[in-house]
């Protein structure tokens, strides 16, 4: 097996060429097939990987740990409160320490600048498990899921993202879709659209890949989309005060059966998760009490309905994160 991306960090989609980006999907599909067939080879045997989480996680943490286990690597988990990083010890110092003990470092946290600083100082590859600006490991899972659920190549596949598009998910979907040559429609109220520089770079990548990029506040843009994505209306790290404004702005953009039908009978629903789709969680209960909404960015019937592929998408976090680690740290097995 060849590892052309060996030694590379994984900080944001734009650090890769369009072809390199697409190559992660081929590697992930290969690793997934081998995993299912029971023929998986261990390319990470003996590798040591630190997992730093400044923010909560279910999927990303588990995906890194299970993928590392499958591949013969060891992980050490540093939770949001149990290390000195950022409080008593600088990012640069932490990076230099961990770089002496580990072969790679995953970081999830508040700021893209932190993961970039870690990368500058660690001397080993650093993987971005989500920051304010980008969620690149999620993008590989999303693209692999669309590939698996589409009868067409990605270059002929369309998706719309509706919701808060100025944060990690909206920005990343715009750029990743553009790099993969897809028909990308970002649908959000004007104040929640990605900044101009991100739209511009997505258009540059689209010119190379043949993608089509639309950024609009008009819900008509979902019509004919093969996939409909959304995300939480208030992201981790944002103030609880954001809810009033966000609910007011995004209520018309909630994904319900009517919006799904507007996209088309065969449209599939996607969400990075966690999702507020009922009132069984603490947040779900607060949203119901305060705003009279049962579920938030997506209705329960869509989330649990036959057009939802969210759990395939969640599983693919593991296969694609495995590809990220194997590409960077793999050795022939
Ligand atoms: N989608 C995602 O990143 O999930 P977690 O926050 O559970 O890791
Ligand atoms: N935008 C969300 C994504 C969660 C996976 C957040 O940052 O909380």
């Amino acid at each position: 097996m060849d590892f052309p991306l060996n030694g590379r960090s994984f900080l944001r989609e734009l650090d890769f060429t369009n072809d390199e980006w697409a190559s992660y999907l081929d590697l992930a599909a290969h690793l997934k097939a081998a995993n299912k067939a029971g023929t998986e080879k261990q390319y990470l045997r003996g590798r040591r990987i630190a997992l730093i989480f400044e923010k909560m996680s279910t999927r990303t943490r588990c995906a890194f740990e299970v993928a590392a286990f499958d591949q013969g690597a060891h992980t050490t988990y540093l939770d949001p409160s149990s290390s000195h990083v950022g409080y008593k010890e600088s990012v640069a110092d932490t990076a230099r320490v961990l770089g002496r003990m580990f072969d790679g470092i995953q970081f999830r946290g508040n700021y893209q600048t932190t993961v970039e600083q870690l990368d500058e100082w660690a001397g080993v590859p650093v993987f971005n498990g989500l920051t304010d600006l980008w969620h690149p490991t999620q993008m590989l899972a999303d693209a692999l899921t669309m590939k698996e659920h589409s009868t067409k190549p990605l270059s002929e596949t369309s998706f719309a993202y509706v919701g808060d598009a100025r944060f990690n998910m909206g920005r990343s979907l715009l750029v990743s879709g553009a790099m993969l040559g897809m028909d990308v429609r970002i649908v959000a109220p004007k104040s929640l659209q990605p900044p101009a520089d991100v739209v511009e770079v997505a258009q540059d990548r689209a010119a190379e890949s043949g993608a089509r990029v639309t950024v609009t506040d008009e819900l008509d843009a979902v019509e004919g989309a093969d996939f409909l994505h959304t995300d939480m209306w208030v992201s981790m790290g944002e103030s609880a005060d954001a809810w009033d404004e966000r609910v007011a702005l995004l209520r018309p953009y909630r994904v319900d059966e009517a919006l799904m039908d507007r996209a088309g009978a065969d449209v599939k629903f996607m969400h990075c998760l966690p999702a507020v789709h009922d009132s069984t969680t603490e947040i779900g209960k607060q949203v119901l009490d305060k705003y009279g909404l049962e579920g938030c960015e997506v209705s329960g019937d869509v989330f649990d309905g036959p057009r939802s592929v969210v759990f395939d998408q969640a599983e693919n976090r593991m296969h694609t994160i495995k590809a990220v680690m194997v590409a960077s740290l793999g050795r022939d097995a």
Side-chain angles (χ1 to χ4, degrees):
M1 175 119 129
D2 290 336
F3 301 99
L5 296 171
N6 231 230
R8 292 278 294 272
S9 285
F10 189 87
L11 304 182
R12 52 176 204 151
E13 301 82 353
L14 290 166
D15 293 337
F16 299 93
T17 65
N18 292 355
D19 286 346
E20 285 171 343
W21 191 242
S23 76
Y24 278 109
L25 300 181
D26 296 335
L27 178 58
H30 165 78
L31 292 167
K32 181 175 180 177
N35 182 265
K36 300 282 181 198
T39 58
E40 183 168 349
K41 289 188 180 156
Q42 291 191 318
Y43 301 108
L44 297 178
R45 205 173 297 154
R47 295 297 204 187
R48 298 153 300 188
I49 298 160
L51 306 175
I52 306 174
F53 280 82
E54 264 183 9
K55 287 179 166 178
M56 291 177 202
S57 170
T58 299
R59 281 145 288 272
T60 308
R61 175 187 175 182
C62 293
F64 269 99
E65 292 199 358
V66 172
F69 171 81
D70 282 352
Q71 282 290 312
H74 167 83
T75 55
T76 296
Y77 173 67
L78 298 170
D79 75 28
S81 60
S82 73
S83 78
H84 301 297
V85 62
Y87 177 63
K88 217 191 299 181
E89 190 161 39
S90 70
V91 173
D93 292 354
T94 306
R96 284 178 285 184
V97 172
L98 297 183
R100 300 291 182 103
M101 298 186 194
F102 294 92
D103 302 297
I105 302 168
Q106 184 281 163
F107 174 82
R108 162 173 288 199
N110 290 305
Y111 304 112
Q112 183 71 16
T113 45
T114 310
V115 79
E116 281 167 7
Q117 215 185 339
L118 264 179
D119 185 54
E120 189 185 332
W121 289 96
V124 297
V126 172
F127 312 123
N128 176 1
L130 175 147
T131 65
D132 53 343
L133 301 189
W134 307 108
H135 197 0
T137 60
Q138 180 75 48
M139 291 309 107
L140 296 180
D142 291 7
L144 183 64
T145 308
M146 289 191 276
K147 212 169 171 176
E148 290 172 346
H149 280 279
S150 182
T151 50
K152 304 172 280 191
L154 283 184
S155 58
E156 292 166 29
T157 300
S158 55
F159 72 85
Y161 171 84
V162 287
D164 174 10
R166 100 236 106 96
F167 214 63
N168 45 31
M169 280 299 297
R171 295 165 54 109
S172 274
L173 277 166
L174 169 60
V175 165
S176 173
M179 291 170 71
L180 294 168
M182 301 183 74
D183 176 347
V184 183
R185 305 146 187 210
I186 302 295
V187 190
K190 287 206 163 57
S191 60
L192 297 179
Q193 290 180 356
D197 60 324
V198 175
V199 178
E200 211 170 289
V201 79
Q203 275 158 348
D204 291 347
R205 290 303 188 105
E208 288 169 29
S209 70
R212 278 190 295 157
V213 165
T214 307
V215 179
T216 178
D217 58 352
E218 299 285 345
L219 280 161
D220 290 353
V222 305
E223 285 166 18
D226 297 307
F227 296 90
L228 204 47
H229 290 249
T230 190
D231 183 17
M232 292 270 302
W233 286 352
V234 177
S235 285
M236 287 184 281
E238 291 198 278
S239 154
D241 296 344
W243 276 102
D244 284 355
E245 178 228 35
R246 228 43 79 65
V247 170
L249 283 170
L250 289 172
R251 207 185 268 256
Y253 294 81
R254 164 182 164 98
V255 181
D256 55 14
E257 287 290 352
L259 193 67
M260 291 287 282
D261 289 342
R262 198 159 163 188
D266 296 329
V267 68
K268 302 274 188 308
F269 173 69
M270 298 184 66
H271 192 309
C272 58
L273 307 184
V276 184
H277 58 88
D278 61 23
S279 52
T280 61
T281 61
E282 232 169 84
I283 291 191
K285 227 173 290 154
Q286 286 167 15
V287 165
L288 178 63
D289 291 347
K290 191 150 184 210
Y291 308 107
L293 274 173
E294 175 68 32
C296 195
E297 70 274 11
V298 57
S299 62
D301 46 3
V302 169
F303 185 86
D304 282 316
R307 295 188 281 186
S308 172
V309 297
V310 296
F311 296 108
D312 291 342
Q313 185 183 359
E315 176 188 334
N316 280 339
R317 297 300 308 289
M318 199 281 276
H319 304 295
T320 47
I321 278 174
K322 190 180 281 178
V324 169
M325 291 192 289
V326 166
S328 178
L329 300 175
R331 299 184 274 220
D332 230 342

